[in-house]
Amino acid sequence: MKGHNGQGELIVVELAESEVEKDLGVLIDKGLTFKNHINQATEKANRFLGIIRRSFDFLTPAVFIQLYKSLVRPVLEYGHTAWQPRHKTLCCELEDVQRRATKLIASLKDKPYSERLAALNLPSLEHHRLRGDMIEMYKYTHGLYLTSRPQISCYQGRDTRGHSLKLDKSHCKLNIRSSFFVQRVTATWNSLPDSVVTAPSVSAFKNRLDAHWKELPAKFDPDCYY
């Protein structure tokens, strides 16, 4: 790279190759696996869990939920729309943090993970990320963002099944591309009923989506463990 120093002299700087770069708090590797970012997030979240464990001799479910949602889960989910894990092993690493966290409640620690989540009404991280993706897609399709939006096109085929905001999913040859936001959420978005996607506000959409997904098995039993 060429440039000039403070005296106006031309200098040449050789750019070093980097395996990982940080952008807006997200570590981006050249293979787009986001392994480095997930490792960093899980380590930080585990440190917060350690602080909670050392600070409280006894945790009630209500206090645990407040602490966990305020201190731990945001660390595990920050920017997840950009770095959604493609591999089950990385998905499990994230889920393991929440699995260990729920064992801090003495009355629940001997129960299976899915039962602990159901008792706390705490969705799996896998389910919560998917819910977040649906909320983002709602905002994009309803024009709630003023910034540049991803390329989204409505379905133009003859198939009239589904809702009025059904999206067209383009074909991709690479697994990396299939994990991009629009590619990975389109099928789930298209499967929602019209009454959910046409909700008049974000709050109404969240309530209708939660009611529609109330009995979804993966809500308390993440697929990444199978």
Side-chain angles (χ1 to χ4, degrees), residues 62-126:
V63 172
F64 166 78
I65 288 294
Q66 186 173 4
L67 290 171
Y68 178 76
K69 289 184 177 181
S70 299
L71 300 176
V72 181
R73 192 168 71 177
V75 175
L76 296 171
E77 294 186 331
Y78 172 77
H80 74 86
T81 303
W83 56 259
Q84 188 76 275
R86 291 188 287 120
H87 305 297
K88 276 192 173 184
T89 53
L90 296 178
C91 184
C92 288
E93 287 182 20
L94 291 164
E95 203 70 48
D96 284 347
V97 178
Q98 181 165 281
R99 181 177 57 80
R100 288 191 295 271
T102 55
K103 287 188 175 183
L104 294 178
I105 303 176
S107 59
L108 299 176
K109 66 178 182 179
D110 294 327
K111 294 184 177 181
Y113 180 47
S114 58
E115 292 185 18
R116 296 199 298 271
L117 293 183
L120 295 169
N121 195 27
L122 182 68
S124 66
L125 291 175
E126 184 180 89

Side-chain angles (χ1 to χ4, degrees), residues 7-39:
Q7 288 73 39
E9 299 174 344
L10 181 65
I11 58 173
V12 178
V13 178
E14 183 178 353
L15 297 179
E17 183 177 351
S18 176
E19 296 291 329
V20 180
E21 287 293 332
K22 191 173 187 178
D23 187 14
L24 297 177
V26 177
L27 294 176
I28 305 172
D29 59 278
K30 64 180 183 180
L32 294 181
T33 64
F34 297 101
K35 180 178 180 179
N36 301 81
H37 179 81
I38 291 172
N39 288 341

